[in-house]
Amino acid sequence: MNNSEEPGPKLAYAVVFGSVMVLGLPLNAVSLWILLRRHSLKSSNAIFMVNLAISDLLLVISFPMRVYLYATGTWPLSSKACDCITMLFRNNIRSSAIFITFISVDRLLAVVYPLRSRHLRTASNAWKSVALVWLFVLVVNIPEGLVLAGNLKRVNESTCFEFRGQQQEQQPGSALSYFQLVLVVTLLTVNLVSTALVSCTLHRRLNDSAKVNNKVNVMLIFAMNLVMFTICFLPVSIGVLTIKRDKITPLVCLASVNCCLDPLLYYFSLDAFWKKKEDVDLAREQ
């Protein structure tokens, strides 16, 4: 394993990834079960959240090998396995950022343009959007996977989980790193604009509780989204271009925490999250 770090930090990384795994696995598994069992997938919001939970679960299943590597300093699997597990992390950053933005835009349309957006906020459009997101993620994997494979020929396999700094990557890798930063900043901007528009709309409707229910929950959704972008997604996207490879692991740990925060979105975003979908449908009819 890379000797530029002391055993202490490596054990700390193992503890962090282990803790995130212990929390993230049951939280997302239970959330996914509730979303599928108690909420109809006819809602665009629920569809985005189901796919967000799936993205987080794909990330969490890679944590046991991260814990093993940082705890023991050895890698028992092949370099291809390193590639796959590294890609799960990068895919989670991109897919989670996009699905969270979709949730923000969906809430924006529901609050600011409730009538005019009905034809847009359909299950059919949501599934099409979800399919495009996963297709986009897979397409990006092709050049990025080639860069990772090339890097592993020049570095020890035990460093395979780390983002390579710009000076240590080939040009295609640097381009993908810049692309990731642009993507995250663009999505963050969309979330900021959505938050401002919804906040202004709710302020104008302060005394009209019939039109917008659970105003506090609505704003908590946007607050959680901004927290995840500014704490989890943005630092690692900037760090990959500015920090040396062996110093990026703390930001990777921080980014991984997003899979523990996402379940809070499900609670705040869906009315009557713990109720059966029949009860929710009945409440909507009334």
Side-chain angles (χ1 to χ4, degrees):
M1 197 166 182
N2 192 344
N3 293 325
S4 61
E5 297 181 22
E6 297 297 327
K10 295 177 193 243
L11 291 177
Y13 300 151
V15 170
V16 171
F17 284 118
S19 300
V20 173
M21 177 183 65
V22 169
L23 289 174
L25 182 59
L27 282 174
N28 284 282
V30 171
S31 296
L32 183 60
W33 181 83
I34 292 172
L35 287 167
L36 294 174
R37 180 74 181 271
R38 301 195 172 191
H39 291 273
S40 172
L41 290 184
K42 295 178 182 179
S43 162
S44 58
N45 210 24
I47 292 171
F48 295 143
M49 290 183 183
V50 164
N51 283 272
L52 181 58
I54 292 173
S55 175
D56 288 337
L57 285 172
L58 289 174
L59 174 64
V60 170
I61 63 175
S62 71
F63 285 168
M65 295 312 303
R66 286 183 180 269
V67 173
Y68 183 89
L69 174 63
Y70 288 120
T72 66
T74 60
W75 178 250
L77 303 179
S78 67
S79 60
K80 293 296 183 183
C82 273
D83 286 350
C84 292
I85 294 176
T86 303
M87 296 307 298
L88 285 176
F89 173 79
R90 301 189 181 195
N91 289 344
N92 175 261
I93 295 291
R94 294 167 189 141
S95 59
S96 292
I98 296 173
F99 289 135
I100 287 172
T101 303
F102 280 174
I103 292 169
S104 290
V105 173
D106 182 81
R107 294 297 86 194
L108 165 69
L109 294 175
V111 172
V112 182
Y113 309 106
L115 297 179
R116 283 183 287 175
S117 65
R118 284 185 175 179
H119 68 287
L120 295 175
R121 298 175 54 246
T122 63
S124 176
N125 286 339
W127 283 117
K128 291 176 184 177
S129 300
V130 165
L132 287 175
V133 171
W134 289 118
L135 179 61
F136 162 77
V137 169
L138 291 175
V139 168
V140 173
N141 282 176
I142 297 173
E144 195 164 48
L146 294 175
V147 172
L148 276 176
N151 282 332
L152 283 177
K153 294 177 181 179
R154 292 174 292 143
V155 298
N156 189 288
E157 284 185 3
S158 64
T159 64
C160 71
F161 288 149
E162 317 301 341
F163 277 96
R164 274 65 172 176
Q166 181 181 359
Q167 297 177 351
Q168 294 161 309
E169 282 191 336
Q170 299 172 351
Q171 188 61 32
S174 299
L176 286 170
S177 298
Y178 279 114
F179 169 77
Q180 168 129 341
L181 178 59
V182 171
L183 175 66
V184 169
V185 171
T186 301
L187 296 176
L188 174 58
T189 302
V190 173
N191 279 271
L192 287 170
V193 172
S194 299
T195 302
L197 290 175
V198 170
S199 179
C200 291
T201 300
L202 293 180
H203 181 73
R204 291 197 302 267
R205 298 178 182 178
L206 203 58
N207 298 319
D208 191 359
S209 60
K211 288 186 178 180
V212 182
N213 296 320
N214 300 323
K215 295 182 178 67
V216 174
N217 281 13
V218 171
M219 291 312 302
L220 283 174
I221 296 169
F222 289 95
M224 285 296 304
N225 289 350
L226 293 179
V227 165
M228 279 187 279
F229 268 92
T230 56
I231 294 180
C232 298
F233 302 149
L234 189 59
V236 74
S237 298
I238 296 175
V240 69
L241 291 168
T242 59
I243 300 176
K244 292 182 179 180
R245 172 179 50 77
D246 57 351
K247 304 296 183 183
I248 199 71
T249 310
L251 294 181
V252 176
C253 293
L254 189 61
S256 301
V257 175
N258 86 88
C259 67
C260 295
L261 297 178
D262 285 337
L264 294 177
L265 277 181
Y266 314 142
Y267 177 80
F268 292 126
S269 297
L270 291 176
D271 294 333
F273 178 70
W274 296 99
K275 294 182 181 179
K276 294 182 179 179
K277 63 182 179 180
E278 292 85 357
D279 297 334
V280 176
D281 293 338
L282 179 60
R284 288 175 178 171
E285 291 175 0
Q286 294 174 344

